[in-house]
Amino acid sequence: MRILAAGSFRTAWRPLMACFQAQERQGISCDFAPAGLLRERIEKGEPCDFFASANLAHLHALLNAGRALLVAPFTTNRLCLCVRADLVRAGDDWLALLTRLALRIGTSTAGCDPSGDYTQLLFSQMGEAGERVRERAVALVGGRETLAIPPGRLAAEWLINNDYTDIFIGYASYAPRLREVATLKIIAIPEPYNPVAQYAFACLSERGKPFSDFLLSPQAVTILRQHGFR
């Protein structure tokens, strides 16, 4: 079975595979990348049995084109701020940090990576302040020609500790691992500003159906919650 999955899904991948293959002894290969770029690869004919994305539009495009057997949601995520710890002052919250003009803001790439799309939605939901933040934000990863994160590194940690940015807006599912880095501070974004990232999958062939069923099982739900998903 050939799987293409959003890069943020990678954090939970090993335990999910261990649980699935204990039930279904099926050979699997998987590639992780920004979901928008993966959809383009599928549309160009790359073999794929199962595709997981944080953007329902990518999946429905495949379904409407007759490339998918079914589409179903299976988990959600949120955004958070990862900030260089020595720049956080007493009393700072998410809005104070994003609107401080001296701080650089990094994001993923809208259109290519759903994390970037949700970040743009965050800016819109912030109103006038968000428009000013949008003007300062720079897409650093997740695009066709953006920075390549070294294998095994988290984007926020690598970008901040290598001085590409002061703040990175990314998925909250990474927060448990990022909190272990002494040079970083995780700041929550409250509702109603914080958009809900809806993860769903497209089953593209009969070979993908067992994994589709597994992702909706109680065992998979437990594993995803343990890795920061909702």
Side-chain angles (χ1 to χ4, degrees):
M1 179 172 58
R2 173 72 171 154
I3 295 175
L4 298 179
S8 54
F9 201 38
R10 189 194 306 262
T11 58
W13 186 249
R14 185 172 294 180
L16 283 170
M17 281 298 94
C19 185
F20 173 69
Q21 292 188 310
Q23 305 171 26
E24 301 277 345
R25 300 197 177 279
Q26 184 176 6
I28 295 174
S29 65
C30 185
D31 192 13
F32 297 95
L37 301 182
L38 291 177
R39 188 200 74 184
E40 292 178 3
R41 287 162 51 178
I42 295 170
E43 290 173 335
K44 291 176 181 177
E46 182 170 331
C48 179
D49 301 301
F50 182 95
F51 173 41
S53 170
N55 186 327
L56 282 166
H58 296 318
L59 306 170
H60 285 298
L62 296 174
L63 186 66
N64 294 337
R67 300 292 299 273
L69 302 179
L70 63 94
V71 167
F74 67 95
T75 194
T76 62
N77 211 339
R78 291 279 193 168
L79 298 176
C80 69
L81 305 187
C82 184
V83 188
R84 211 178 86 190
D86 60 1
L87 297 177
V88 180
R89 303 169 182 166
D92 274 344
D93 63 6
W94 69 284
L95 186 58
L97 289 162
L98 286 181
T99 55
R100 187 174 302 156
L101 297 181
L103 299 184
R104 298 166 296 170
I105 301 169
T107 73
S108 195
T109 304
C112 295
D113 186 347
S115 173
D117 298 328
Y118 288 115
T119 300
Q120 294 300 313
L121 180 56
L122 166 67
F123 296 155
S124 296
Q125 292 178 171
M126 291 170 61
E128 185 177 339
E131 295 307 313
R132 293 193 293 269
V133 175
R134 194 195 313 270
E135 293 174 359
R136 294 168 41 226
V138 178
L140 296 174
V141 294
R144 294 177 180 83
E145 298 179 357
T146 51
L147 295 166
I149 305 301
R153 301 290 291 274
L154 296 178
E157 177 272 325
W158 187 80
L159 291 168
I160 292 172
N161 284 341
N162 285 279
D163 200 33
Y164 287 103
T165 190
D166 302 311
I167 299 172
F168 186 77
I169 306 173
Y171 286 131
S173 56
Y174 292 113
R177 292 175 62 191
L178 292 168
R179 287 192 181 98
E180 298 175 356
V181 182
T183 55
L184 304 177
K185 181 80 171 177
I186 303 302
I187 306 294
I189 303 170
E191 298 181 18
Y193 304 100
N194 197 343
V196 177
Q198 177 70 70
Y199 282 66
F201 63 76
C203 180
L204 306 177
S205 78
E206 292 295 327
R207 286 188 298 271
K209 283 190 173 179
F211 194 65
S212 301
D213 294 338
F214 168 72
L215 266 191
L216 299 174
S217 71
Q219 299 98 312
V221 169
T222 297
I223 292 169
L224 288 165
R225 285 177 176 166
Q226 291 170 344
H227 288 78
F229 294 89
R230 299 184 177 214

